[in-house]
Amino acid sequence: MADKIPYLDLPAQIKSVRKEIDAALARALDNCSFCLGPDVVQFEKDFAQFCGTRHALGFNSGTSALHVAMRLVNAGPGDEVITTPYTFIATSWAISYVGAKPVYVDIDDATFNLNPKLLEKAITSRTKAILPVHLYGHPFDADPILEICKKNNLPLVEDAAQAAGAKYKSKTVGTLGDISCFSFYPGKNLGACGEGGALVTNNPDFAARAKSLREHGSTQRYHHDEVGYNYRMEGFQGAVLGVKLKHLQKWTDERRHVAERYAELLADTPLKLPREADYARSAWHLYTVRHPRRDELKKFLDENGIGNAVHYPIPLHLQKAYASLGHKPDDFPVAEKAAREVLSLPIFPELTDAQIRRVAEVVKNFFRR
Ligand SMILES: Cc1ncc(COP(=O)(O)O)c(C=O)c1O
C-alpha cells in the first residue's frame, strides 16, 4: 500500500522550527519564568499586533479564555447567551461554567456558521451576549450580526479558536467583536507545545479585568477582588508561540494553497466542497467536505491510509451533557444534516502536492467503485 497520509503531521511542523523552539525553550528554562513571564508578555504584544487589537492576554487554554469572556460580559444564572449548536463543545461550556444557558441558533448551510438571519428571533430579555464561532477557520458573517448586537445593545464575543489568521473583509478575525478568544491547542493553526489560549480585546476595562480573573481575581498579590481562576499561560508556551507566530502567515498561505488544490482536484466529484464566502479569507483550519455517504467514504479512506476526521458527529443540542436543555432531533436541522455528512480531509502546511494528489485519487476511487 502507498504511504499513509496523516490527518495532521505535527512532527513535520516541529521539525521545520525545531532549532528556533529549542533556543526559545532553553532561554525560558534559564529565566525560570514558568508561569507568565517575559516570553508570554512578548507573545501577547506580538499577537495583539498580529490581530490588530490593543490587548492580548495569554491563557492556559481557549476554554479558559472563553470562560473569562463570559465573566466579562457578566453572564450568570438566569441569563442566556446565543451561540451555535455546531462547534466543539467548549464554546458552550464557557456559557455553562458561569451558570448561564446556551441558546442555540441553527447554522448557515454554506459556511457551517451561525445563521445571522435566524439570530434576532432568539433574543430575549435574558440575552446577555452573542457567541458565534469562526468554524473550521472560516469567518462568520460579522456585519449583520454586529448590526443586531448594536440594535439590541449586546456584546459580541468571537470564538476564534480555529481561526487565527483568518480575515473578514479587510479585518483580521479577533477584531470584529468586543472580545475574541483563541485556542493554541497543538493541532490548531497556531499551536503550542501543550495547552494555550488567548483573550483579545480593544476594551481596556475588559483587558484589566481579564488579567485579574486569569490570576485568582487579583492585581496585587494576596489581595483578591473577586472569585478568579488560575488560568495563566505557561512561560514555555509563550516561548513556543512566539516562535511559531512568526511563521503563521506563511503557514496560512500554505493551507490556502492546499485548499485550492483540493478544489481543483475534487471539482468533478459528487462531494460538496467547502467554499469561501465573498467576505471571507479563511484560515483553512479544516478542509471539510460533505456527502450523504460520509460513513462509507470515511471507511474507504481509513482502509486506504488517508487520515480523516468527523467535525462534528453530534451537534451540541443533542449531546448527553445538554439533555437538560430539552432539545430533540430536528430542532436545528441544518446542523444535524451537517453532522451526518461532514468529513475533514488532511490539511496542514507541510502537506506535499504528491500527498494532496493521492488524497484526491483515493476519494475519486471511492466514487468510481
Ligand atoms: C471552536 C472551539 N472553541 C473552543 C475550543 C477550546 O480550546 P482549548 O482546547 O484550547 O481549550 C476549541 C478547541 O479545541 C474549539 O475548536
Side-chain angles (χ1 to χ4, degrees), residues 209-284:
R209 188 166 171 224
K211 202 169 175 180
S212 161
L213 284 168
R214 173 180 76 172
E215 194 147 18
H216 301 289
S218 69
T219 47
Q220 190 187 348
R221 212 165 202 190
Y222 307 129
H223 292 69
H224 305 279
D225 306 323
E226 59 180 326
V227 175
Y229 317 97
N230 175 0
Y231 281 172
R232 294 175 294 234
M233 177 179 273
E234 291 186 348
F236 281 144
Q237 305 312 337
V240 168
L241 289 164
V243 167
K244 286 199 176 184
L245 181 59
K246 296 190 180 83
H247 300 272
L248 184 57
Q249 188 54 57
K250 178 173 66 82
W251 287 340
T252 307
D253 293 343
E254 286 164 351
R255 284 176 180 276
R256 293 183 59 77
H257 175 71
V258 175
E260 276 164 24
R261 289 292 285 141
Y262 277 144
E264 286 161 17
L265 295 168
L266 298 173
D268 56 356
T269 67
L271 290 178
K272 186 169 176 201
L273 303 179
R275 299 224 180 282
E276 282 178 319
D278 292 347
Y279 54 76
R281 205 174 152 80
S282 177
W284 290 107

Side-chain angles (χ1 to χ4, degrees), residues 84-123:
T84 164
Y86 200 62
T87 172
F88 180 60
I89 201 156
T91 317
S92 273
W93 287 157
I95 301 166
S96 304
Y97 290 170
V98 295
K101 178 183 166 190
V103 171
Y104 299 118
V105 162
D106 210 350
I107 57 168
D108 164 31
D109 198 50
T111 64
F112 301 100
N113 287 330
L114 188 147
N115 187 341
K117 294 193 186 96
L118 305 175
L119 175 57
E120 201 148 20
K121 63 173 185 278
I123 295 175

Side-chain angles (χ1 to χ4, degrees), residues 84-86 89 92 102 104 106 314-337 339:
T84 164
Y86 200 62
I89 201 156
S92 273
Y104 299 118
D106 210 350
I314 307 174
L316 304 192
H317 65 287
L318 299 178
Q319 292 283 353
K320 202 169 149 194
Y322 281 119
S324 62
L325 293 176
H327 286 296
K328 49 187 192 324
D330 251 5
D331 278 358
F332 303 104
V334 185
E336 289 166 41
K337 187 159 185 277

Side-chain angles (χ1 to χ4, degrees), residues 59-66 84 86-93 132-136 159-163 181-186 188 194-198 285-286 311-312:
F59 274 74
N60 61 350
S61 74
T63 307
S64 51
L66 283 164
T84 164
Y86 200 62
T87 172
F88 180 60
I89 201 156
T91 317
S92 273
W93 287 157
V133 179
H134 302 292
L135 201 71
Y136 307 154
D159 182 337
Q162 303 186 358
C181 299
F182 290 86
S183 165
F184 304 129
Y185 183 76
K188 293 290 194 284
E195 306 278 353
H285 175 55
L286 301 180
H311 301 97
Y312 297 91

Side-chain angles (χ1 to χ4, degrees), residues 21-247:
I21 288 185
D22 279 349
L25 287 176
R27 194 182 57 235
L29 191 57
D30 288 341
N31 281 340
C32 290
S33 300
F34 300 124
C35 307
L36 299 174
D39 286 308
V40 173
V41 170
Q42 188 58 50
F43 170 68
E44 289 174 337
K45 277 190 195 142
D46 295 344
F47 194 62
Q49 193 180 21
F50 176 84
C51 294
T53 48
R54 285 168 70 184
H55 308 277
L57 292 164
F59 274 74
N60 61 350
S61 74
T63 307
S64 51
L66 283 164
H67 180 190
V68 165
M70 290 299 100
R71 289 285 305 273
L72 296 181
V73 299
N74 295 320
D79 294 329
E80 298 174 349
V81 175
I82 299 177
T83 187
T84 164
Y86 200 62
T87 172
F88 180 60
I89 201 156
T91 317
S92 273
W93 287 157
I95 301 166
S96 304
Y97 290 170
V98 295
K101 178 183 166 190
V103 171
Y104 299 118
V105 162
D106 210 350
I107 57 168
D108 164 31
D109 198 50
T111 64
F112 301 100
N113 287 330
L114 188 147
N115 187 341
K117 294 193 186 96
L118 305 175
L119 175 57
E120 201 148 20
K121 63 173 185 278
I123 295 175
T124 71
S125 57
R126 295 178 173 183
T127 308
K128 245 344 209 226
I130 313 292
L131 173 54
V133 179
H134 302 292
L135 201 71
Y136 307 154
H138 186 288
F140 56 75
D141 193 2
D143 280 349
I145 296 179
L146 279 164
E147 208 171 292
I148 294 166
C149 285
K150 205 168 159 193
K151 193 167 138 199
N152 293 276
N153 199 22
L154 290 169
L156 175 65
V157 180
E158 292 172 72
D159 182 337
Q162 303 186 358
K167 288 211 156 125
Y168 177 75
K169 300 185 177 166
S170 57
K171 287 182 152 188
T172 303
V173 153
T175 58
L176 311 169
D178 299 271
I179 304 164
S180 299
C181 299
F182 290 86
S183 165
F184 304 129
Y185 183 76
K188 293 290 194 284
N189 290 23
L190 177 61
C193 289
E195 306 278 353
L199 184 149
V200 162
T201 182
N202 276 321
N203 180 324
D205 297 331
F206 281 161
R209 188 166 171 224
K211 202 169 175 180
S212 161
L213 284 168
R214 173 180 76 172
E215 194 147 18
H216 301 289
S218 69
T219 47
Q220 190 187 348
R221 212 165 202 190
Y222 307 129
H223 292 69
H224 305 279
D225 306 323
E226 59 180 326
V227 175
Y229 317 97
N230 175 0
Y231 281 172
R232 294 175 294 234
M233 177 179 273
E234 291 186 348
F236 281 144
Q237 305 312 337
V240 168
L241 289 164
V243 167
K244 286 199 176 184
L245 181 59
K246 296 190 180 83
H247 300 272

